[in-house]
Amino acid sequence: MSWQQQQQPQQPQHGYVGSNELLMGNQQHYNQQYNNNNNPQYNQQQQYNNQSPYASNQYQQPQQPYAPQQAFQAPYTANAATNGAPKPYNPVPPPNPPTIVSKPKYNDVWATALFAVFMAGFVGLAVLGVPMTLDSLRDGSSANSKPTNAKNGASYSVGLSAADIGGLVAASVGTGVAFSVLYFFLMLNFPGPLIKFSYFFNVVMMAAFAAYMGYVRSWIACGIFALFAVLLAVSYWGIRSRIPFSQIVLETVCKISGRLNGTLFVALGGMIVSAAFSVVWLATLLGMAEWVSQKNLASGVMYAILVLLVFMNFWFNEVVRNTIHSAVCGTFATYYFMGMQQPNSDTITLPSNHTTAKSLGRALTTSFGSICFGSLLVSLIRTLKFIAQMAKNDSAQDGNILCCIIATCFECILACLADILDYFNKYAYTEIAIYGKSYCEGGKDAWNLFKYKGIDLIINDVLIGYVLGMGSFISAILCAFAGFLFVYLKGGLGTLGNGPGVYAGVCLISAFIGMWLFLVLLEVIDSGTAATFVCLAEDPATIQRQQPRFFESIQQRFPDVNWGMQSIAY
């Protein structure tokens, strides 16, 4: 049903924007909004050309309220610049008229089936390997529960009490949670100063690494870190004009995360699932090594099992992480495209009280195949990198310098490819979460986004990434100090005492706990930032209509937001 054929107004419904259950409106509402802004009505406008991503039958053609693309350049001509007047804002193109797809499409089902097959295989290996690991641990604990003192033949027990373990975990977790809450408050209330401080914090860290490398007389590494520090410091003058935009994005993302705090629980739940899988995976790996040893099988069998288990580990964790990302992005898109700002108020009303749950449901059903597909590609590259790393280590042990160099080059290339694809996938999954596309469709539109908004996107990611990276580092340091303080105040840790090795181990474990806890907040903020940028880049007019105050603040700090992807021919 075309937009002009709609006769009855319909209420907004929650779901995909452009797919599953779309944002609804009525022509009278749109006409009234644009008449108030002295804009022509939809039925008086010419249509855009048949351009991606609106060429799909799933989308209605957006309609053009102004002249073709050449007119976009008028406010930015040289003559306008010489008049001394500020650049006028371009008209924002109208939103894509929404439709409803009552029966959502399950995309990339084959990837879901393949993922299920591999996970079934992992369950089979776990059933075989985990019991053998548990048996080995029981046998080892029985044999070593009372080791003999070499001096006097006395026996003693080495272990930790529940109070020691519980106290250490409580100190680390309490410090990590408290700092995460405090840092969230700082990002919400002082985003601008925090962005600037984190930027120069990275400059200082680079300079500190350069100084340390100079101290240990590693002059090449010293020069590299010093060069990075200088380039990072100089580049600040080139990107400082982008800070106001990143500031309001960070503030808005924190505000939405605080309101839709289900996203934090989704991230926490996903990380718990991933941690539990890692424990089972490690037990499976140790058990299969024991099984191969007992069966006297060739070493090649163990290598094959190791590579297979490494691939399964990569794929499962990638799927969990990308499912979290998709659920959070879908939640933010619902807020931007379906949340309605009340008149003369900053209050945003949503059509559902279960926004995050519905977004998670879509990520685990209709979009799950696309998530498995993209995760499969990254996992394959990371597995090949692991194989190259094993080959490098074997060549180094055998003294084969040529093979070691070749394997190192392959490892470096594959690491770069994995990181690039991982970054690209972040925006492909954002497209999937918002519009319900398949992985290939989402990847195509993500590529178009990089082509036309890539510089803005990368700078925004870098600035906000510095804030999150600094928070993760400080969280790890504070939790490590909390663990150190706990052991110091107790005078030692159980029968292990208080030697330097005990302090080092406690600080390392506590730092890991701190980083793990902050990662929950980091995942939500990072995903929310990606969703915010995609929504602004691809459909600024809908945000302008739904949340005019937020859009006005964006427009004042980043006028190019008017140049949405709708107004650019692909």
Side-chain angles (χ1 to χ4, degrees):
M1 179 171 61
S2 66
W3 179 254
Q4 289 81 2
Q5 293 174 334
Q6 294 185 8
Q7 301 297 331
Q8 299 296 329
Q10 302 181 28
Q11 298 299 321
Q13 298 182 5
H14 172 67
Y16 286 131
V17 179
S19 183
N20 187 6
E21 301 167 343
L22 287 179
L23 165 68
M24 291 295 298
N26 58 77
Q27 186 175 6
Q28 181 179 0
H29 174 71
Y30 280 155
N31 289 341
Q32 182 179 359
Q33 293 289 331
Y34 282 95
N35 283 334
N36 293 337
N37 293 321
N38 297 322
N39 287 325
Q41 297 182 0
Y42 278 99
N43 54 16
Q44 297 174 350
Q45 301 163 2
Q46 300 177 357
Q47 292 190 348
Y48 279 119
N49 294 329
N50 191 18
Q51 299 169 354
S52 173
Y54 305 104
S56 169
N57 294 331
Q58 189 175 356
Y59 301 89
Q60 297 293 327
Q61 292 291 327
Q63 298 174 320
Q64 185 172 335
Y66 41 87
Q69 187 177 2
Q70 289 77 1
F72 299 163
Q73 308 296 333
Y76 294 93
T77 59
N79 293 333
T82 57
N83 291 334
K87 296 178 182 178
Y89 290 145
N90 289 292
V92 179
N96 183 30
T99 58
I100 288 182
V101 178
S102 57
K103 294 182 178 180
K105 179 183 178 181
Y106 286 78
N107 295 309
D108 301 312
V109 179
W110 66 268
T112 303
L114 185 62
F115 180 75
V117 170
F118 271 88
M119 289 303 104
F122 174 77
V123 170
L125 292 176
V127 169
L128 180 62
V130 171
M132 301 191 71
T133 300
L134 296 178
D135 292 339
S136 298
L137 291 176
R138 281 194 294 266
D139 294 341
S141 62
S142 299
N144 299 319
S145 60
K146 293 184 178 181
T148 301
N149 190 317
K151 292 184 178 180
N152 52 24
S155 61
Y156 56 89
S157 297
V158 177
L160 298 176
S161 66
D164 291 331
I165 298 175
L168 179 60
V169 172
S172 302
V173 171
T175 303
V177 171
F179 174 76
S180 297
V181 172
L182 175 62
Y183 204 75
F184 183 83
F185 174 82
L186 293 176
M187 288 191 294
L188 180 61
N189 293 278
F190 307 101
L194 200 59
I195 289 174
K196 296 176 183 177
F197 181 81
S198 64
Y199 190 93
F200 287 103
F201 177 82
N202 279 271
V203 176
V204 172
M205 291 298 295
M206 288 289 182
F209 279 122
Y212 175 77
M213 291 301 171
Y215 175 76
V216 298
R217 299 184 181 277
S218 179
W219 303 116
I220 296 179
C222 174
I224 292 175
F225 280 113
L227 177 63
F228 284 163
V230 172
L231 292 177
L232 196 60
V234 172
S235 65
Y236 175 78
W237 276 264
I239 66 172
R240 65 185 188 277
S241 60
R242 309 296 182 104
I243 291 178
F245 173 68
S246 299
Q247 172 183 340
I248 193 170
V249 168
L250 180 60
E251 179 183 353
T252 304
V253 168
C254 291
K255 187 182 301 181
I256 297 173
S257 301
R259 177 178 175 180
L260 303 176
N261 51 24
T263 54
L264 297 172
F265 289 101
V266 168
L268 178 61
M271 294 183 64
I272 291 174
V273 170
S274 190
F277 178 85
S278 298
V279 172
V280 176
W281 179 86
L282 181 60
T284 303
L285 177 62
L286 296 175
M288 293 307 299
E290 181 69 20
W291 179 80
V292 170
S293 177
Q294 291 181 1
K295 298 294 183 180
N296 292 323
L297 298 177
S299 59
V301 176
M302 188 59 217
Y303 271 101
I305 294 175
L306 175 62
V307 171
L308 180 61
L309 285 174
V310 166
F311 169 72
M312 290 177 176
N313 184 45
F314 283 143
W315 198 6
F316 183 87
N317 284 291
E318 282 290 324
V319 167
V320 172
R321 185 168 66 92
N322 294 324
T323 300
I324 295 171
H325 175 75
S326 299
V328 174
C329 288
T331 303
F332 273 75
T334 301
Y335 181 92
Y336 289 127
F337 288 158
M338 303 184 69
M340 180 67 70
Q341 180 177 325
Q342 298 304 306
N344 301 320
S345 173
D346 290 333
T347 303
I348 306 296
T349 58
L350 294 171
S352 172
N353 293 326
H354 308 289
T355 305
T356 306
K358 291 185 176 181
S359 180
L360 178 62
R362 294 191 297 269
L364 292 173
T365 53
T366 54
S367 297
F368 192 71
S370 302
I371 293 173
C372 293
F373 187 5
S375 302
L376 172 64
L377 299 179
V378 176
S379 302
L380 286 172
I381 296 176
R382 294 197 186 280
T383 303
L384 292 175
K385 173 179 171 288
F386 175 78
I387 295 174
Q389 187 177 18
M390 287 198 306
K392 179 190 71 174
N393 295 335
D394 292 342
S395 300
Q397 291 179 358
D398 296 339
N400 192 331
I401 299 177
L402 179 61
C403 290
C404 184
I405 294 175
I406 294 175
T408 302
C409 293
F410 273 109
E411 181 186 3
C412 181
I413 293 172
L414 291 169
C416 293
L417 288 176
D419 291 339
I420 293 171
L421 183 58
D422 191 49
Y423 186 73
F424 177 81
N425 274 352
K426 181 171 77 170
Y427 288 93
Y429 291 132
T430 304
E431 296 279 351
I432 291 167
I434 297 174
Y435 301 106
K437 302 171 183 175
S438 66
Y439 177 74
C440 292
E441 292 171 344
K444 177 183 177 181
D445 289 337
W447 175 250
N448 288 326
L449 182 68
F450 276 96
K451 281 169 54 179
Y452 292 104
K453 297 287 186 178
I455 298 298
D456 299 326
L457 182 151
I458 292 173
I459 292 177
N460 183 65
D461 271 356
V462 167
L463 291 175
I464 295 179
Y466 282 156
V467 175
L468 298 176
M470 184 180 71
S472 180
F473 177 79
I474 296 176
S475 178
I477 295 297
L478 290 177
C479 288
F481 178 73
F484 174 88
L485 196 62
F486 174 81
V487 176
Y488 178 78
L489 293 177
K490 282 184 63 67
L493 191 63
T495 58
L496 297 177
N498 58 354
V502 174
Y503 281 115
V506 166
C507 289
L508 185 62
I509 294 173
S510 299
F512 176 79
I513 293 175
M515 293 184 66
W516 186 82
L517 288 171
F518 192 83
L519 191 61
V520 175
L521 182 61
L522 186 150
E523 288 286 346
V524 173
I525 300 300
D526 185 61
S527 299
T529 300
T532 301
F533 193 94
V534 170
C535 291
L536 284 170
E538 296 194 344
D539 197 356
T542 297
I543 299 180
Q544 183 189 38
R545 185 191 70 248
Q546 298 291 109
Q547 302 178 36
R549 292 191 180 183
F550 168 64
F551 185 84
E552 181 182 1
S553 62
I554 289 287
Q555 194 177 49
Q556 291 174 352
R557 305 184 191 193
F558 187 59
D560 285 349
V561 71
N562 290 22
W563 292 62
M565 298 293 289
Q566 289 187 5
S567 62
I568 299 177
Y570 285 100

